[in-house]
Amino acid sequence: YIRITDIDENSNKYSQQNIVSPLGILEDKYLVKENDILFARTGASTGKTYIYDKNDGILYFAGFLIKANIKNTSNSMFIFMQTKTTKYRRWIELESMRTGQPGINSKQYESYNFSVPSLVEQNKIANFFSLIDKRISLQQEKVSLLREKKQGLMQQLFSRKLRFKDENGEAYPEWEVSSFKEIVTINQGLQIAIDDRYTTPDINRMFYITNEFLRIDSQKKYYIENPSPSVICTKDDILMTRTGNTGKVVTDVEGAFHNNFFKIKYDTNTHNKYFLYYILTSVPIQRKIIQLAGTSTIPDLNHSDFYSIAIAYPCLAEQQKIADLLSTLDSKIEKEDEKLKSLREQKKAFVQQMFV
């Protein structure tokens, strides 16, 4: 069963992370077949598309999608690629504006004009983009495998199944167990109304770290004037979101931080910043944080609940080795992820050039 949310934002392929199956027997008209393209017809995802891949198996499409079967006189991949152009996105925006809310029906989709050269040329262009897609898929798989390796390594390290030895080949001391209250101090940031923020830097202004900053695609930057020292963080500090998207951890940033964050201070004589960063992002600790934050509409982690979380940690020397190993792997993931982004940008550029 394929829904709008099952279409990956980057690749536009069917995501099998949260598979659901329809109840009962559905009519064949809801079955997605070869040469079918699905179009999202409502909501913020209006215009989003998916082209059927036989490797995705038997799929039935959900009610917020429209199915179009491409005739044999055209190449379905060639048609699909035109839904990735600026021209198509602009058309989606204009059509949605006419109705007053995001949404395009089947009659409107039928009215869209595709550029259609000879079938021979369509096939050549489609094959070209299929090769690019294959390269992107291989690179995506490489990044995914590295991330899985990192998660597996973190599980081994923090469960103490994998241990380091010192320079003499001797085992390090056993790990200690403490609550966060015993090893760190935390404080919340400052809430500044949007009207009181600045969008340009200036003397006495400091970068304002908000949840918006955590979004990879965010272009917004805010600045505030003369914040108090208690809400200023340096690159030595660790920040963690305490409400909303609770549990997001960042470090190596400096500025004044929003009320949605905790600043986590620690003793550098006994704790390594990156070790704490990685243990905070580990699956068991993240699960505990989410659990304590609650399941309300806006999860909120209070001071006492955070302080109650217990962690195991080794001596400072072993912390350093663990942090160095994971940091090296992170650098490799970042490098391969940049290659992936570059390939996607190349594809976008080719699409715009090909369908001018």
Side-chain angles (χ1 to χ4, degrees):
Y1 195 56
I2 182 169
R3 305 155 296 179
I4 294 175
T5 52
D6 295 322
I7 303 171
D8 183 79
E9 293 290 343
N10 291 313
S11 66
N12 288 99
K13 294 185 178 296
Y14 174 57
S15 172
Q16 301 190 24
Q17 288 185 345
N18 298 297
I19 295 177
V20 295
S21 298
L23 296 174
I25 299 173
L26 297 183
E27 298 177 56
D28 280 351
K29 66 180 181 179
Y30 298 113
L31 187 63
V32 191
K33 301 176 183 177
E34 192 172 358
N35 295 325
D36 282 348
I37 299 175
L38 298 181
F39 294 79
R41 66 178 180 82
T42 189
S45 297
T46 299
K48 194 176 182 181
T49 54
Y50 158 81
I51 184 169
Y52 178 68
D53 183 340
K54 62 182 180 182
N55 293 319
D56 291 336
I58 299 173
L59 290 178
Y60 291 88
F61 66 98
F64 291 126
L65 295 167
I66 292 172
K67 182 177 75 170
N69 181 261
I70 308 305
K71 296 178 181 178
N72 291 331
T73 52
S74 295
N75 183 296
S76 56
M77 177 58 76
F78 176 84
I79 299 297
F80 173 72
M81 289 312 305
Q82 292 186 61
T83 68
K84 308 303 160 198
T85 62
T86 302
K87 174 192 169 186
Y88 174 79
R89 291 309 314 172
R90 286 175 180 164
W91 180 83
I92 292 293
E93 290 170 7
L94 286 171
E95 289 296 310
S96 293
M97 285 170 61
R98 288 174 186 169
T99 60
Q101 58 183 2
I104 295 179
N105 61 39
S106 57
K107 290 295 182 184
Q108 288 172 289
Y109 274 122
E110 284 178 5
S111 71
Y112 184 77
N113 292 317
F114 289 93
S115 300
V116 184
S118 69
L119 185 57
V120 172
E121 187 173 357
Q122 288 182 53
N123 290 339
K124 286 183 178 180
I125 293 171
N127 289 339
F128 172 74
F129 281 111
S130 292
L131 288 173
I132 294 177
D133 282 340
K134 187 173 182 180
R135 286 184 65 192
I136 290 173
S137 293
L138 289 171
Q139 187 63 25
Q140 175 66 68
E141 185 178 355
K142 191 172 185 179
V143 172
S144 296
L145 288 172
L146 282 171
R147 286 182 174 146
E148 287 175 15
K149 179 180 178 180
K150 178 188 169 184
Q151 288 302 317
L153 191 56
M154 287 173 69
Q155 196 277 329
Q156 292 275 68
L157 289 166
F158 295 137
S159 64
R160 286 160 279 177
K161 292 179 180 177
L162 179 62
R163 293 289 307 273
F164 286 95
K165 295 185 183 297
D166 65 20
E167 287 71 14
N168 299 317
E170 299 294 326
Y172 282 114
E174 288 301 308
W175 289 31
E176 296 182 45
V177 177
S178 300
S179 67
F180 276 128
K181 185 174 180 61
E182 296 173 277
I183 59 175
V184 303
T185 58
I186 59 174
N187 67 278
Q188 291 177 214
L190 181 68
Q191 186 164 344
I192 300 293
I194 291 180
D195 291 343
D196 295 326
R197 303 175 192 176
Y198 299 90
T199 55
T200 55
D202 203 348
I203 191 167
N204 296 327
R205 290 182 190 172
M206 188 165 282
F207 176 54
Y208 190 40
I209 304 166
T210 66
N211 273 342
E212 182 76 24
F213 167 75
L214 299 179
R215 288 177 50 192
I216 296 174
D217 59 344
S218 175
Q219 301 296 319
K220 292 182 181 178
K221 279 193 173 183
Y222 294 114
Y223 301 85
I224 60 173
E225 285 188 339
N226 302 314
S228 65
S230 66
V231 298
I232 294 174
C233 75
T234 69
K235 290 186 176 181
D236 291 329
D237 295 319
I238 299 171
L239 296 180
M240 189 189 80
T241 52
R242 63 173 193 83
T243 187
N245 56 347
T246 308
K248 300 297 180 184
V249 187
V250 290
T251 189
D252 291 327
V253 296
E254 51 190 0
F257 56 99
H258 190 275
N259 187 49
N260 287 344
F261 289 88
F262 280 144
K263 178 171 73 173
I264 302 171
K265 297 286 288 183
Y266 54 94
D267 184 351
T268 57
N269 294 313
T270 54
H271 291 89
N272 176 280
K273 178 182 74 169
Y274 292 110
F275 176 85
L276 287 174
Y277 167 83
Y278 284 117
I279 205 162
L280 280 165
T281 60
S282 67
V283 172
I285 299 301
Q286 282 288 303
R287 283 177 180 161
K288 188 66 176 176
I289 288 169
I290 299 303
Q291 176 192 345
L292 292 170
T295 56
S296 62
T297 306
I298 304 178
D300 191 356
L301 183 70
N302 62 46
H303 290 66
S304 59
D305 282 339
F306 177 79
Y307 277 140
S308 72
I309 299 171
I311 64 166
Y313 57 93
C315 66
L316 189 59
E318 191 172 4
Q319 288 181 48
Q320 182 69 58
K321 289 191 175 184
I322 290 171
D324 288 346
L325 177 61
L326 293 174
S327 294
T328 299
L329 190 51
D330 263 345
S331 296
K332 191 170 184 180
I333 291 171
E334 186 177 348
K335 183 179 178 181
E336 295 302 330
D337 201 37
E338 284 300 318
K339 290 181 183 178
L340 178 60
K341 290 175 184 175
S342 178
L343 285 171
R344 285 174 174 158
E345 288 302 315
Q346 285 178 18
K347 179 182 174 181
K348 285 181 183 179
F350 283 134
V351 168
Q352 301 307 324
Q353 293 170 17
M354 200 76 74
F355 298 106
V356 173

